[in-house]
Amino acid sequence: MRTVGTVSRGVRCPIIRKGDNLAEIAADSVLAAAKSEGSPLRDRDIVGVTEAVLARSQGNYATTRDIADDVAAKFGGDTLGVIFPILSRNRFAICLRGIAMGMKKIVLMLNYPSDEVGNPLFPHGLLEDANVNPWSDTLDEAAYREKFGCPLHPFTGVDYVGYYKELIESCGCEAEIIFSNNAKTILQYTGNVLACDIHTREETVRTLRKAGAQKALTLADILNAPVNGSGCNEQYGLLGFNKATEDTVKLWPRDAKSFVDNLARLFLERTGKNIEVLVYGDGAFKDPREKIWELHDPVVSMAYTSGLEGVPNEIKLKYLADNQFKDLDGDALEKAMRAHIKTKSEDLVGSMESQGTTPRQLSDLVGSLCDLTSGSGDKGTPIIWIQGYFDDYAVNN
C-alpha cells in the first residue's frame, strides 16, 4: 500500500526574463527535479506556473503614463470618482499614481472599516464607540479623523488615508477623500466613476449605471488594449497587476491558455505522460488573525488544462467510519472503505457521505496549494510540481 498521498514540490528554475521560452524552461526544470528526486512523472501529475514569470517572459508591462493616458482618454481628464480600492502599496498605490496623473481631481471613496479583502482602516471595535453605522453613514476626511484618528495598517504600518492623499497630490491632482460603503454615494460628487473593487466590481458597476452614472468602468476596462505600445490584458486590464518599479506595473499575462496547452504538450512529447498544467496567482485563503484575504487577483487560476475543470467528488472517510462501517476495524474496515470508494457515485452532490468535503473548483484548490507552496518572497520556486492530488484511499500502488 502506498503510504504517501499528495506531494507538492517547489521547483527552482533560472530567473525569467523577457523573451525567454518559459514552456521549455518549465519542462526542463520539472524533469530535472524529477530526476533529482528519483520520482518520475506520472499521468495526472500537476504542474503550476506562477502568473508572474509568464508575464515577465512576455514583457507584459505598462507605465504610469500609459495608465494616465488611458484613464484620461476614457474619462476626459477632469474629475473622477475612484471607489473601493484595496489598501496596498504593491497592488494599488502605483495604479492610483497613474490615475491621478491623468486627472485634475480625484474623489477617492474608501470602504470602512475594511477594504474588500479585509485590510482594516482601523480596528472594527472603534465603530461602536464612534456611534457610526458603516451601512448608512458617509464620512468626509475631517469626520473620519475626528472619530478614528490616524490608525496604521497592522502589517504594513501605513496610514493609507494619508498615504493615498499625499500620493494623489504629488501628481498635481486635487484630492478629496470620503468614506462610504454605498457605491451610489460617489454620484453626489461626480458622474464619472472608476470602480476599483476586485471581486464585486460587476455588481458595483451595475449599481452605478442603474443609478445614473455618466460613465462607470472597472479596472478591467483600463489597459485592456495597448496604450503607447504598452502591454495589456484583454480580459482583466489592470486587475491582478503588481508593482514592478516606481513607475511601472507588471500586468497579468496574456494568452495563458495557449501556454498551459503548449506546456502539457511538451510533457506528453518528452515523457508520454498526460500532465495537468495551470497558471496561478493568489491563493484563496484568509489570515485567521487579521481577517485579510490573500486573493487580490480576480481569480486564482487564469488558465488550466481540462483535467482541472469541475469540483472534487469525494466521500468523507470519517463519516463512513462513524456510520456505515462503525462496527468494523483493522483490515476489514480498510477493505470496506476502499471498496466503497471504488463504487461511489459520479455525482455526490447532496449526499450525506460527502458532507464536509470542499465543493470548490479544482483550479482554485490546486492554485491555492501552488501559491502556498511557492510563497511570495525569496523561495525561488515559481514552478510547482504536484503528485498524487487525484489519488484516493482506494489507490494503493
Side-chain angles (χ1 to χ4, degrees), residues 16-293:
I16 303 301
R17 297 294 188 187
K18 180 180 178 180
D20 287 346
N21 188 330
L22 184 59
E24 292 282 353
I25 292 172
D28 290 344
S29 299
V30 172
L31 291 173
K35 182 177 180 180
S36 174
E37 292 288 287
S39 181
L41 270 68
R42 301 192 290 260
D43 282 324
R44 300 214 75 190
D45 281 4
I46 303 170
V47 172
V49 179
T50 180
E51 57 82 20
V53 293
L54 179 55
R56 291 178 66 189
S57 72
Q58 296 174 341
N60 201 28
Y61 291 80
T63 67
T64 50
R65 174 45 56 192
D66 299 327
I67 296 171
D69 289 349
D70 201 19
V71 169
K74 288 172 176 172
F75 287 104
D78 191 6
T79 299
L80 178 64
V82 175
I83 70 171
F84 301 160
I86 62 172
L87 307 176
S88 172
R89 294 168 296 177
N90 176 50
R91 288 288 198 165
F92 186 70
I94 190 170
C95 173
L96 181 59
R97 179 179 293 117
I99 296 168
M101 288 167 58
M103 305 302 296
K104 294 179 180 179
K105 180 177 180 178
I106 296 291
V107 181
L108 181 65
M109 191 171 86
L110 302 175
N111 300 96
Y112 75 97
S114 300
D115 70 9
E116 177 190 11
V117 296
N119 289 297
L121 278 171
F122 53 83
H124 290 203
L126 295 181
L127 275 176
E128 185 174 350
D129 296 338
N131 193 29
V132 173
N133 183 344
W135 305 114
S136 61
D137 295 347
T138 299
L139 307 176
D140 60 17
E141 186 179 359
Y144 171 86
R145 292 300 191 192
E146 178 184 353
K147 293 179 180 296
F148 305 115
C150 299
L152 306 180
H153 188 281
F155 289 165
T156 64
V158 172
D159 168 18
Y160 277 96
V161 176
Y163 176 61
Y164 280 173
K165 183 176 183 179
E166 291 173 8
L167 188 154
I168 294 169
E169 292 176 340
S170 72
C171 299
C173 180
E174 182 182 351
E176 181 176 0
I177 300 183
I178 60 175
F179 304 82
S180 175
N181 293 307
N182 184 346
K184 291 184 285 188
T185 300
I186 194 65
L187 299 180
Q188 301 171 25
Y189 298 81
T190 176
N192 288 323
V193 187
L194 181 61
C196 298
D197 42 342
I198 303 165
H199 308 295
T200 56
R201 63 189 184 277
E202 293 178 359
E203 178 183 348
T204 298
V205 165
R206 282 197 302 270
T207 297
L208 290 167
R209 290 172 179 169
K210 186 175 180 180
Q214 180 179 345
K215 179 175 283 190
L217 301 177
T218 76
L219 287 177
D221 299 309
I222 307 301
L223 289 184
N224 56 356
V227 175
N228 306 323
S230 73
C232 70
N233 187 290
E234 292 84 354
Q235 182 176 3
Y236 293 112
L238 271 175
L239 290 171
F241 83 89
N242 273 283
K243 178 180 179 180
T245 70
E246 291 302 319
D247 61 0
T248 308
V249 297
K250 177 195 65 60
L251 304 172
W252 256 28
R254 306 171 71 180
D255 209 15
K257 185 63 168 72
S258 295
F259 171 80
V260 298
D261 290 341
N262 183 40
L263 182 52
R265 179 186 56 78
L266 284 178
F267 280 123
L268 182 61
E269 291 174 352
R270 296 187 185 186
T271 68
K273 304 299 181 182
N274 291 299
I275 307 300
E276 305 295 347
V277 179
L278 74 159
V279 174
Y280 67 93
D282 280 345
F285 45 86
K286 185 177 183 179
D287 175 71
R289 177 170 296 182
E290 298 298 340
K291 318 301 182 190
I292 298 172
W293 286 96

